[in-house]
Amino acid sequence: MLVALSVLDVEWTLWLHEHRDPVFGEWMRRTLFEGDLPGGSDPAIVFLLVALALYLVAGRRAVPEGLKVWRPMLTFVILAALAGALGQVHGLKWVIGRARPYEVWSGDWPYTAWFEFGPHFVTEGIYYGSFPSGHTAAVLALLIPAYLLWFHPQPRWSHRLSAVVLGLLVLGGAIAMGAARVMTAHHWLSDGLGIIFPTWALLHWIHHHLLKVSQQRFYVLFNGIYPSSVPAYWELRFAGWCFLLLLGVMAIFLGMRSIAFQDPPILLGMTPVGGLFSAWAFTRARDLYVQVMSEFFEPVP
């Protein structure tokens, strides 16, 4: 089954590249933040920058309660964006190291499927890996406000309708971005389509299970205040510990990659070190998480 899907992946990638629309591909690729005209990923980037600015204001202790009540939503935006756009995308890029289509077609690197370790190492460049598509994942960041609308603590039909419309637009935009990146031979079709469901699943898990955003929003709505004992900017501390946890997990897999790509596999020693490092970082992240969530929920699961 996986081999058959890989064959289809190559065939559809070739077909889209041969029938490419250069104008569409260029428009979806470019971004204001690299000195170009507006592009396909700019709405999501602007949304995240505005959310970050609001978070930096609302996260301080000495701010009006009217701003603090936004903390549960801003917490979800910040942590979901960091986990999805940075942690998930770059973690997979660095570990899998898949070669891009133009590299394979030029004969510089061998072809590997999306589920295999590729030839690229992180030392060759942090953006070299083809799987998954970072541009596609950036568009999917706009699913965050769709979640906040659908799971509003006092939902109205207008909230639900807006969430559905936005969700469909985002999914359509993500598919279009994935196709555009294939047209320019920077990604295989599976690089774009293959990140849609994992990103969606990650956002769902963070919203419902990690942060319990709906319950946090209901707490603030019911009590009229955000818990004063919650540390300022705790989200950034938590994200920092999770980043160290990710580095440990990456070390485990990079060590395992050495079995296939090194003779002898010198980097295999990174696997036990990564295991110890990730266990330590997980403990610190868990302790901070329990401290914060205990202000909203008793007992914390």
Side-chain angles (χ1 to χ4, degrees), residues 64-207:
E65 288 296 333
L67 286 176
K68 286 187 178 181
V69 298
W70 287 79
R71 280 289 295 278
M73 292 176 286
L74 294 172
T75 294
F76 175 51
V77 175
I78 297 302
L79 290 183
L82 289 174
L86 294 179
Q88 180 178 240
V89 170
H90 287 289
L92 289 172
K93 277 182 180 292
W94 297 351
V95 168
I96 293 179
R98 189 184 194 187
R100 296 176 184 266
Y102 69 85
E103 296 176 313
V104 173
W105 296 339
S106 67
D108 293 335
W109 295 96
Y111 168 78
T112 54
W114 60 269
F115 55 87
E116 298 175 326
F117 288 142
H120 279 306
F121 278 91
V122 66
T123 53
E124 295 163 331
I126 61 175
Y127 295 107
Y128 269 41
S130 182
F131 181 85
S133 168
H135 283 76
T136 305
V139 174
L140 290 169
L142 288 176
L143 284 177
I144 296 173
Y147 259 77
L148 294 175
L149 285 168
W150 182 269
F151 296 103
H152 193 282
Q154 294 180 324
R156 300 175 182 175
W157 70 267
S158 58
H159 294 146
R160 295 290 175 86
L161 178 61
S162 299
V164 170
V165 171
L166 179 57
L168 291 175
L169 288 174
V170 172
L171 291 177
I175 293 172
M177 178 63 79
R181 299 298 286 160
V182 171
M183 290 179 181
T184 59
H186 281 81
H187 284 286
W188 306 94
L189 186 61
S190 58
D191 297 338
L193 299 184
I195 197 59
I196 293 178
F197 179 76
T199 301
W200 192 347
L202 181 64
L203 295 180
H204 187 87
W205 177 77
I206 291 174
H207 185 281

Side-chain angles (χ1 to χ4, degrees), residues 21-31 36-40 180 184:
D21 182 342
V23 175
F24 175 70
E26 174 62 20
W27 176 68
M28 294 298 284
R29 177 206 64 81
R30 69 192 184 202
T31 171
D36 294 326
L37 294 172
T184 59

